[in-house]
Amino acid sequence: MIRIAIQSKGRLNEESLSLLQDIGIEVDAPKRKLLSKSQTFPIEALYLRDDDIPRVVSGGSATLGIVGLNEIEEKGADVTILCRLGFGTCRLSLAVPKGESCDGLGWFSGKRIATSYPNILRKYLDEKGIDAKIEVITGSVEIAPAVGIADAIFDIVSSGSTLIANGLREVETVFESEAVLIARRDLDAEEQALIDDLLFRIESETVSRGKKYLLMNLPQSSLDEAIRILPAMRSPTVMPLASPGWCSLHSVIDAADLWTKVRQLKAIGAEGILVMDVDKIIL
Ligand code: PRT
Ligand code: ZN
C-alpha cells in the first residue's frame, strides 16, 4: 500500500482526482475524510493543503504527491519529480503598476517586491544581480502596490486577468509551472513496482490527451498523398472498400491539427470523415 498526498481543495484538487479516476483509481473525494483508501488499487489518498505536500512527501509520511512545480521549487523539497501532469499550468512573473515606465530588470533595483514565493524570487534576483527588497505576503499579493506595501509584485499568473483587474502589467516571466507527480526518495521494491504501474497508466493517459481518431473513405489514387498528410503512430491503417478504387483510412492525429488536416484531406477527395475521441493509447 502506498499513500499519495493530494490537495484537499483548490485548483489542483479536481484534476488530481480525475487523473486518478482516468487511470482506474477510485478514491472518495475529500469531504470530512483526511484519508481515503482506494478499492481498485493499493493506494490511499491523503488530503492536504498544497503548501504541506512537498514536506510530507520528502519526510516520508506519503510516498507520492501531486503538487505545483512552483511549490517544490519554493520549498526546495528533496523529492523526485516523476512526471509533469499537464494541468495547473501557470507562470511566476514580475508585474508592475501599468503606469510605471519599467523598461527592464534594472528598474527593480532598490524597489520593494511583494510575493508569496520569496525563495524563487531571491534566487532569480541574485542571478540577475538585482538588489531589491522582498516583502513576503501570503495572500492577495496583487493588491500590494495599490495599498502602498510594495512597488511591484511577483506572483502566479495564468490568464493574466487578475493583473489587468488590479491595474498591473506583467514584465518578466521567471518560472513556468504545472502540476507534477513527486515521490519520496529511497523507495523500496514494492513501492517502486506500484509506482512503475502508475507511471505506465499515466503515460497512456497523457499520450491520448488531445488526440482524435479519424476515419474516412478515400479514392485509392489519393492514398500516398493522404499518408503524407497523416503521420500516424506507425502509418495509417488502410482497408479496401466494396466499391472499386476506394479505400477506408484510419489514423490518430493531434486535436489541434484537426481542421487543417480535414481541409487537406477533403482537397484530395476524402469523404465521410468520422472524428472520434480517443480514450486510451497504450504504446
Ligand atoms: O488551500 P491551499 O493552500 O491548498 O491552496 P492555495 O490557495 O495555496 O493554492 P491554489 O489552489 O490557488 O493553487 C494551487 C496551485 O495551482 C498553485 O500552486 C499553482 O501551481 C497552480 N495554479 C495554476 C495557480 C493558478 N494557476 C492561478 N491562477 N495558482 C494560483 N493562481 C492564482 C494566482 O495566485 C492569482 O491570484 O490565480 C490568480 C491569477 O490567475 P489569472 O488567471 O487571473 O492570471
Ligand atoms: Zn497553498
Side-chain angles (χ1 to χ4, degrees):
M1 167 79 75
I2 50 176
R3 185 182 281 173
I4 183 164
I6 288 171
Q7 193 189 24
S8 52
K9 55 182 166 50
R11 287 167 200 267
L12 303 182
N13 168 263
E14 223 169 87
E15 284 183 279
S16 302
L17 289 174
S18 74
L19 171 71
L20 291 184
Q21 193 172 36
D22 289 345
I23 61 170
I25 297 174
E26 300 283 347
V27 284
D28 290 335
K31 299 243 167 59
R32 255 164 282 138
K33 270 167 112 186
L34 186 67
L35 271 176
S36 169
K37 220 176 250 156
S38 170
Q39 302 301 319
T40 54
F41 195 85
I43 197 166
E44 63 181 359
L46 170 65
Y47 296 111
L48 296 172
R49 287 198 59 183
D50 69 340
D51 314 58
D52 298 329
I53 293 176
R55 190 170 33 85
V56 163
V57 174
S58 65
S61 304
T63 317
L64 296 171
I66 296 179
V67 70
L69 195 54
N70 51 309
E71 287 297 325
I72 306 292
E73 182 74 7
E74 178 61 23
K75 303 281 183 325
D78 184 24
V79 294
T80 308
I81 294 170
L82 295 174
C83 60
R84 292 176 170 251
L85 297 172
F87 59 85
T89 314
C90 58
R91 54 197 188 271
L92 276 163
S93 291
L94 284 163
V96 302
K98 66 173 190 282
E100 285 290 342
S101 56
C102 165
D103 52 1
L105 278 180
W107 181 90
F108 289 91
S109 280
K111 297 285 199 300
R112 296 163 304 157
I113 310 172
T115 188
S116 311
Y117 293 91
N119 294 325
I120 298 177
L121 179 58
R122 172 58 60 213
K123 187 165 160 236
Y124 180 75
L125 294 175
D126 286 352
E127 270 167 25
K128 300 288 178 187
I130 305 290
D131 184 20
K133 183 162 189 319
I134 297 177
E135 302 284 353
V136 181
I137 299 184
T138 50
S140 305
V141 169
E142 64 279 358
I143 62 160
V147 298
I149 297 172
D151 305 300
I153 69 162
F154 175 64
D155 199 11
I156 294 182
V157 183
S158 177
S159 64
S161 54
T162 302
L163 293 183
I164 292 170
N166 287 279
L168 298 165
R169 174 167 66 93
E170 188 175 2
V171 288
E172 188 81 16
T173 299
V174 172
F175 188 81
E176 306 268 3
S177 183
E178 69 185 273
V180 288
L181 180 68
I182 56 169
R184 201 190 68 225
R185 299 222 187 263
D186 304 322
L187 302 164
D188 65 31
E190 187 198 347
E191 289 172 322
Q192 190 61 59
L194 290 173
I195 290 171
D196 288 347
D197 188 357
L198 279 184
L199 287 174
F200 172 75
R201 297 182 189 200
I202 290 173
E203 195 196 343
S204 310
E205 201 47 48
T206 323
V207 171
S208 58
R209 203 176 293 152
K211 292 280 194 284
K212 294 283 179 193
Y213 190 81
L214 275 189
L215 259 138
M216 73 211 72
N217 296 334
L218 192 76
Q220 197 78 38
S221 55
S222 297
L223 193 53
D224 289 347
E225 186 57 24
I227 290 171
R228 262 195 297 281
I229 297 170
L230 295 172
M233 280 176 285
R234 272 187 205 282
S235 63
T237 306
V238 183
M239 285 186 281
L241 286 187
S243 342
W246 282 81
C247 60
S248 161
L249 191 73
H250 302 206
S251 188
V252 174
I253 62 161
D254 285 331
D257 297 337
L258 178 69
W259 294 107
T260 315
K261 302 276 185 201
V262 163
R263 193 166 21 82
Q264 292 170 335
L265 292 162
K266 290 286 288 175
I268 60 167
E271 287 181 1
I273 303 176
L274 278 183
V275 182
M276 291 185 286
D277 290 337
V278 174
D279 187 23
K280 303 263 183 294
I281 297 177
I282 317 285
L283 293 174

Coordinates of all heavy atoms in Angstrom, one line a residue, residues 176-209:
E176 N 8.2 28.7 -15.1 CA 7.0 28.1 -15.7 C 6.6 26.9 -14.8 O 7.5 26.1 -14.5 CB 7.3 27.6 -17.1 CG 7.9 28.6 -18.0 CD 6.8 29.4 -18.8 OE1 5.6 29.1 -18.6 OE2 7.2 30.2 -19.7
S177 N 5.3 26.8 -14.5 CA 4.9 25.7 -13.6 C 3.8 24.9 -14.1 O 3.0 25.4 -15.0 CB 4.6 26.3 -12.2 OG 4.3 25.2 -11.3
E178 N 3.6 23.7 -13.6 CA 2.4 22.9 -13.8 C 2.4 21.8 -12.7 O 3.4 21.7 -12.0 CB 2.4 22.2 -15.2 CG 3.5 21.1 -15.4 CD 3.5 20.5 -16.8 OE1 2.8 19.6 -17.1 OE2 4.3 21.0 -17.6
A179 N 1.3 21.1 -12.6 CA 1.2 20.0 -11.6 C 2.2 18.9 -11.9 O 2.3 18.6 -13.1 CB -0.2 19.5 -11.5
V180 N 2.9 18.4 -10.9 CA 3.8 17.3 -11.1 C 3.5 16.2 -10.1 O 3.0 16.4 -9.1 CB 5.3 17.7 -11.0 CG1 5.7 18.6 -12.2 CG2 5.6 18.4 -9.7
L181 N 3.9 15.0 -10.5 CA 3.8 13.8 -9.6 C 5.2 13.7 -9.0 O 6.2 13.6 -9.7 CB 3.5 12.5 -10.4 CG 3.3 11.3 -9.5 CD1 2.1 11.3 -8.6 CD2 3.2 10.0 -10.4
I182 N 5.2 13.7 -7.6 CA 6.5 13.6 -6.9 C 6.5 12.4 -6.1 O 5.5 11.8 -5.7 CB 6.8 14.9 -6.0 CG1 5.6 15.1 -5.0 CG2 7.0 16.1 -6.9 CD1 6.0 16.1 -3.9
A183 N 7.8 11.9 -5.8 CA 7.9 10.7 -4.9 C 9.0 10.9 -3.9 O 9.9 11.7 -4.1 CB 8.3 9.5 -5.8
R184 N 8.8 10.2 -2.8 CA 9.9 10.2 -1.7 C 11.1 9.6 -2.3 O 11.0 8.8 -3.2 CB 9.3 9.3 -0.6 CG 9.9 9.6 0.7 CD 9.5 8.5 1.7 NE 10.1 7.2 1.3 CZ 9.4 6.1 1.3 NH1 8.1 6.0 1.6 NH2 10.0 4.9 1.0
R185 N 12.3 10.0 -1.8 CA 13.5 9.3 -2.3 C 13.6 7.9 -1.5 O 12.8 7.7 -0.6 CB 14.7 10.1 -1.9 CG 14.7 11.5 -2.6 CD 16.0 11.9 -3.1 NE 16.0 13.2 -3.6 CZ 15.9 13.5 -4.9 NH1 15.7 12.6 -5.8 NH2 15.9 14.8 -5.3
D186 N 14.5 7.1 -2.0 CA 14.7 5.8 -1.3 C 13.5 4.9 -1.2 O 13.0 4.5 -0.1 CB 15.3 6.0 0.1 CG 16.6 6.8 0.0 OD1 17.3 6.6 -1.0 OD2 16.8 7.6 0.9
L187 N 12.9 4.6 -2.3 CA 11.7 3.7 -2.3 C 12.1 2.3 -2.2 O 13.1 1.9 -2.7 CB 10.9 3.9 -3.6 CG 10.5 5.3 -3.9 CD1 10.1 5.5 -5.4 CD2 9.3 5.7 -3.0
D188 N 11.2 1.5 -1.5 CA 11.5 0.0 -1.5 C 11.0 -0.6 -2.8 O 10.3 0.0 -3.6 CB 11.0 -0.6 -0.2 CG 9.5 -0.6 -0.1 OD1 8.8 -0.7 -1.1 OD2 9.0 -0.6 1.0
A189 N 11.3 -1.9 -3.0 CA 11.0 -2.6 -4.2 C 9.4 -2.6 -4.5 O 9.0 -2.5 -5.6 CB 11.5 -4.0 -4.2
E190 N 8.7 -2.8 -3.4 CA 7.2 -2.9 -3.6 C 6.7 -1.6 -4.0 O 5.8 -1.5 -4.9 CB 6.6 -3.4 -2.2 CG 5.1 -3.7 -2.3 CD 4.4 -3.7 -1.0 OE1 5.1 -3.7 0.1 OE2 3.2 -3.6 -0.9
E191 N 7.1 -0.5 -3.3 CA 6.6 0.8 -3.7 C 7.0 1.1 -5.2 O 6.2 1.7 -5.9 CB 7.3 1.9 -2.8 CG 6.8 1.8 -1.4 CD 7.6 2.8 -0.5 OE1 8.8 2.8 -0.6 OE2 7.0 3.4 0.4
Q192 N 8.3 0.8 -5.5 CA 8.7 1.1 -6.9 C 7.9 0.4 -7.9 O 7.5 0.9 -8.9 CB 10.2 0.7 -7.0 CG 10.9 1.2 -8.3 CD 10.9 2.7 -8.4 OE1 11.4 3.4 -7.6 NE2 10.2 3.2 -9.5
A193 N 7.5 -0.9 -7.6 CA 6.7 -1.7 -8.6 C 5.3 -1.0 -8.8 O 4.8 -0.9 -9.9 CB 6.6 -3.1 -8.1
L194 N 4.7 -0.6 -7.7 CA 3.4 0.1 -7.8 C 3.5 1.4 -8.5 O 2.7 1.7 -9.4 CB 2.8 0.3 -6.4 CG 2.4 -0.9 -5.6 CD1 2.0 -0.5 -4.1 CD2 1.2 -1.6 -6.3
I195 N 4.6 2.1 -8.3 CA 4.8 3.4 -9.0 C 5.0 3.2 -10.5 O 4.5 3.9 -11.3 CB 5.9 4.2 -8.3 CG1 5.5 4.7 -6.9 CG2 6.4 5.4 -9.2 CD1 6.6 5.3 -6.1
D196 N 5.8 2.1 -10.8 CA 6.0 1.8 -12.2 C 4.7 1.6 -12.9 O 4.4 2.0 -14.1 CB 6.9 0.6 -12.4 CG 8.4 1.0 -12.0 OD1 8.7 2.2 -11.9 OD2 9.2 0.0 -11.9
D197 N 3.8 0.8 -12.3 CA 2.5 0.6 -12.8 C 1.7 1.9 -13.0 O 1.1 2.1 -14.1 CB 1.7 -0.4 -11.9 CG 0.4 -0.9 -12.4 OD1 0.1 -0.4 -13.6 OD2 -0.3 -1.7 -11.8
L198 N 1.7 2.7 -12.0 CA 1.0 4.0 -12.1 C 1.6 4.9 -13.2 O 0.8 5.5 -14.0 CB 1.2 4.8 -10.8 CG 0.4 4.5 -9.6 CD1 0.6 5.5 -8.5 CD2 -1.1 4.6 -10.0
L199 N 2.9 4.9 -13.4 CA 3.5 5.7 -14.4 C 3.2 5.2 -15.8 O 2.9 6.0 -16.7 CB 5.1 5.8 -14.2 CG 5.5 6.6 -13.1 CD1 7.1 6.5 -12.9 CD2 5.2 8.1 -13.3
F200 N 3.1 3.9 -15.9 CA 2.7 3.3 -17.2 C 1.3 3.8 -17.6 O 1.0 4.2 -18.7 CB 2.7 1.8 -17.1 CG 2.2 1.1 -18.3 CD1 2.9 1.0 -19.5 CD2 0.9 0.5 -18.2 CE1 2.3 0.4 -20.6 CE2 0.4 -0.2 -19.3 CZ 1.1 -0.2 -20.5
R201 N 0.4 3.7 -16.6 CA -1.0 4.2 -16.8 C -1.1 5.7 -17.1 O -1.8 6.1 -18.0 CB -1.9 3.9 -15.6 CG -2.0 2.4 -15.3 CD -2.9 2.2 -14.1 NE -2.9 0.9 -13.6 CZ -3.8 0.4 -12.8 NH1 -4.8 1.1 -12.4 NH2 -3.7 -0.9 -12.3
I202 N -0.3 6.5 -16.4 CA -0.3 7.9 -16.6 C 0.2 8.2 -18.0 O -0.3 9.1 -18.7 CB 0.5 8.7 -15.5 CG1 -0.2 8.6 -14.2 CG2 0.7 10.1 -15.9 CD1 0.5 9.1 -13.0
E203 N 1.2 7.5 -18.5 CA 1.8 7.8 -19.8 C 0.7 7.5 -20.9 O 0.6 8.3 -21.8 CB 3.0 6.9 -20.0 CG 3.8 7.4 -21.2 CD 4.8 6.5 -21.8 OE1 5.2 5.5 -21.0 OE2 5.2 6.7 -22.9
S204 N 0.0 6.4 -20.7 CA -1.1 6.1 -21.7 C -2.1 7.2 -21.7 O -2.6 7.6 -22.8 CB -1.8 4.8 -21.4 OG -0.9 3.8 -21.1
E205 N -2.4 7.7 -20.5 CA -3.4 8.8 -20.4 C -2.9 10.1 -21.1 O -3.6 10.8 -21.8 CB -3.6 9.0 -18.9 CG -4.9 9.7 -18.5 CD -6.1 9.1 -19.2 OE1 -6.2 7.9 -19.2 OE2 -6.8 9.9 -19.7
T206 N -1.6 10.4 -20.8 CA -1.0 11.6 -21.3 C -0.9 11.6 -22.8 O -1.2 12.5 -23.5 CB 0.4 11.9 -20.7 OG1 0.4 11.5 -19.4 CG2 0.8 13.3 -20.8
V207 N -0.5 10.4 -23.3 CA -0.3 10.3 -24.8 C -1.6 10.5 -25.5 O -1.7 11.0 -26.6 CB 0.3 8.9 -25.1 CG1 0.3 8.6 -26.6 CG2 1.7 8.7 -24.6
S208 N -2.7 9.9 -24.9 CA -4.0 10.0 -25.6 C -4.7 11.4 -25.5 O -5.6 11.7 -26.2 CB -5.0 8.9 -25.1 OG -5.2 9.1 -23.7
R209 N -4.2 12.2 -24.5 CA -4.8 13.5 -24.3 C -4.6 14.4 -25.5 O -3.6 14.5 -26.1 CB -4.2 14.2 -23.1 CG -5.1 15.2 -22.5 CD -4.5 15.8 -21.2 NE -4.3 14.9 -20.1 CZ -3.4 15.0 -19.2 NH1 -2.5 15.9 -19.2 NH2 -3.4 14.1 -18.2

